[in-house]
């Protein structure tokens, strides 16, 4: 018998993330467990993406996360000289 439904079960969410879906199910409560699952599975790309998702840019209750200003030299090939 399952204790959680599929939308909150980290194992289910992880399997869906590996298929490229269910990103909307990642939240502050499950992101660290999902990172651990990805690392155990050897999926370094997904683990990195999840770490970037949980990076403390802002509190999600404050609205959308702010964009980061590019560093100097970003897009320098297209900049006017």
């Amino acid at each position: 018998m399952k204790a959680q439904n599929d939308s909150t079960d980290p194992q289910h969410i992880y399997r869906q993330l590996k298929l490229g879906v269910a990103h909307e199910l990642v939240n502050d409560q499950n992101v660290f467990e999902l990172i651990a699952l990805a690392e155990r599975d050897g999926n370094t790309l997904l683990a990195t993406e999840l770490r970037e998702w949980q990076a403390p840019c802002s509190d999600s209750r404050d609205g959308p996360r702010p964009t980061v200003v590019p560093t100097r030299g970003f897009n320098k090939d297209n900049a006017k000289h």
Side-chain angles (χ1 to χ4, degrees), residues 8-19:
T8 59
D9 177 34
Q11 294 284 337
H12 172 77
I13 295 169
Y14 178 69
R15 286 190 301 272
Q16 294 300 303
L17 290 171
K18 286 176 37 176
L19 296 173

Side-chain angles (χ1 to χ4, degrees), residues 36 41 71 76:
D41 195 29
T71 59
K76 70 180 183 179

Side-chain angles (χ1 to χ4, degrees), residues 4 8-11 14 29-40 50:
Q4 299 174 326
T8 59
D9 177 34
Q11 294 284 337
Y14 178 69
Q29 288 73 42
N30 64 20
V31 69
F32 293 105
E33 187 169 355
L34 292 168
I35 290 169
L37 287 169
E39 288 174 341
R40 266 187 259 134
L50 288 163

Side-chain angles (χ1 to χ4, degrees), residues 2-3 5 9-10 19 21 23 29 36 41 49 51-52 59-61 67 73-74:
K2 284 188 181 181
N5 67 28
D9 177 34
L19 296 173
V21 297
H23 297 94
Q29 288 73 42
D41 195 29
E49 289 174 346
R51 274 192 213 91
E52 289 173 357
D59 187 344
S60 60
R61 291 170 285 182
T67 56
F74 180 81

Side-chain angles (χ1 to χ4, degrees), residues 28 37 45 52-54 59 70:
D28 292 333
L37 287 169
L45 178 60
E52 289 173 357
W53 181 92
Q54 65 85 211
D59 187 344

Side-chain angles (χ1 to χ4, degrees), residues 55-68:
C57 293
S58 74
D59 187 344
S60 60
R61 291 170 285 182
D62 293 337
R65 295 175 186 223
T67 56
V68 177

